[in-house]
Amino acid sequence: MQTRTLGTGGPDVSVVGLGCNNFGRPGTATEHDASAVVDAAIEAGVTLFDTADIYNVGRSEELLGQALADRRGQVVIATKWGHQSATAPGADDWGAKGSRGYIRRAIEASLTRLGTDYIDVYQLHTPDPGTPIEQTLEALDELVQEGLVRHLGHSNFDAAQMREADAVARERGLTRFVSAQNEYSLLRRQIEEQDLAVARELGLGVLPFFPLASGLLTGKYRKDQIPEGARLASRRDQLTDLLGEAGWDGLERYLAVCAEAGITPLEGAVGWLLAQDGVTSVISGATSAEQVRANAAAGAVDLSRDTVTRLAGAFDA
């Protein structure tokens, strides 16, 4: 699989990463099942594995660590801490999530669950409005200097927060962030208003999450054909919200463009993101080896500029 450098000075990573948010849920609830998904990912050339301390109450980190036990040096592990709307295991009384005390406890807990002595990319899951960013950066810089963390990233930062963090790190000689993990897909393009341009300007590698818009861009959902048992099958209001102004007609136009281009909807969704300047790797979740292989194959498709334009236009019409 093709690799790209994550931001300025970050590690080389596969253009399709494995999102491990499902580890611990049905399908990947056991060590055996999670390992099968990880095995398939490594065989397909995936080197970036993304998780977080809150995913399934820490179980995601535990299962990923177990699956990678004897292959730690072959991969890049990215994990997150500090989500403002969720609590990590045992973290109720740790204080502000961007504070030094919290970060110290969070990194030790993640290292233990992952069964490793370092994390390749340590990401602040959401901004902490109660802690000045300089305090957070100083604490993170200590982790880098001690070798517990190799690179820093953030998630859900807007353009102004990206600029502030980078300016503070430069002014104080602290370790800078190398990555930005934000929602981005053909159906969710708000990042293009400001955030994507600023990320490029600052040398941040963008890691889109929800690249398939909860499965809408895979082609399995149609207006009058929603598969029973699918994640959004019983939530038509959420489907409508995800589709936005383009609605079901936009989705049909998108599927038609994919068919005319001779690509699958999955290849269209992943390939379009990888064609966007600033995007380094697409974080794609999976609960089976088959899904992993399909996601990895989608990252190998080189879309023409015309196809890229037409895919976006399907939702603009």
Side-chain angles (χ1 to χ4, degrees):
M1 184 184 296
Q2 181 185 355
T3 62
R4 295 177 179 176
T5 301
L6 183 60
T8 301
D12 287 343
V13 297
S14 54
V15 295
V16 173
L18 178 63
C20 302
N21 56 307
N22 288 315
F23 283 15
R25 296 176 181 169
T28 50
T30 68
E31 181 179 351
H32 176 271
D33 291 338
S35 292
V37 170
V38 170
D39 290 346
I42 292 176
E43 289 170 6
V46 172
T47 62
L48 175 61
F49 294 81
D50 181 79
T51 185
D53 58 6
I54 61 168
Y55 291 163
N56 301 307
V57 200
R59 186 61 174 150
S60 173
E61 287 186 326
E62 290 175 351
L63 289 169
L64 179 61
Q66 291 164 3
L68 292 173
D70 59 348
R71 297 171 290 189
R72 176 65 184 92
Q74 302 174 30
V75 303
V76 172
I77 294 179
T79 194
K80 298 178 286 293
W81 98 96
H83 197 295
Q84 292 298 304
S85 300
T87 302
D92 295 299
D93 60 352
W94 290 1
K97 294 176 179 178
S99 67
R100 182 180 185 278
Y102 190 102
I103 290 170
R104 278 285 169 181
R105 292 183 175 185
I107 187 68
E108 291 299 336
S110 285
L111 289 171
T112 298
R113 284 190 292 266
L114 287 163
T116 184
D117 56 5
Y118 70 94
I119 289 170
D120 296 285
V121 186
Y122 199 41
Q123 305 161 102
L124 176 53
H125 210 153
T126 61
D128 179 1
T131 304
I133 190 62
E134 53 264 39
Q135 292 184 22
T136 301
L137 286 168
E138 287 171 357
L140 292 173
D141 187 69
E142 290 179 5
L143 301 185
V144 174
Q145 300 308 318
E146 293 170 18
L148 299 176
V149 169
R150 294 189 172 177
H151 306 280
L152 304 176
H154 53 60
S155 181
N156 297 297
F157 272 41
D158 62 25
Q161 291 162 334
M162 292 180 194
R163 286 190 185 283
E164 181 186 15
D166 192 71
V168 169
R170 287 176 180 272
E171 291 168 3
R172 303 197 174 206
L174 302 171
T175 304
R176 297 169 59 203
F177 290 112
V178 301
S179 64
Q181 189 171 154
N182 290 57
E183 183 173 6
Y184 192 20
S185 72
L186 275 160
L187 281 172
R188 283 288 185 271
R189 295 167 60 185
Q190 292 86 344
I191 189 177
E192 294 176 351
E193 295 172 8
Q194 295 185 51
D195 303 344
L196 184 58
V198 171
R200 289 196 298 260
E201 175 191 331
L202 300 178
L204 296 167
V206 176
L207 302 171
F209 66 80
F210 293 163
L212 306 178
S214 297
L216 269 174
L217 295 173
T218 63
K220 68 180 180 181
Y221 292 97
R222 310 294 283 263
K223 183 176 183 179
D224 300 314
Q225 183 181 333
I226 300 177
E228 186 177 346
R231 181 166 40 170
L232 300 178
S234 62
R235 292 176 281 177
R236 282 185 172 269
D237 56 338
Q238 189 172 348
L239 284 169
T240 300
D241 179 63
L242 283 169
L243 286 166
E245 294 182 8
W248 290 102
D249 290 340
L251 184 60
E252 291 300 325
R253 289 192 296 269
Y254 165 72
L255 297 175
V257 171
C258 290
E260 292 166 8
I263 58 175
T264 67
L266 177 61
E267 291 169 340
V270 174
W272 183 84
L273 280 171
L274 289 174
Q276 306 309 306
D277 186 19
V279 171
T280 300
S281 179
V282 176
I283 304 298
S284 300
T287 56
S288 70
E290 291 74 20
Q291 287 180 347
V292 169
R293 287 189 280 267
N295 291 340
V301 175
D302 187 15
L303 303 181
S304 69
R305 179 50 55 184
D306 177 66
T307 298
V308 170
T309 300
R310 292 178 64 215
L311 287 170
F315 296 104
D316 293 335

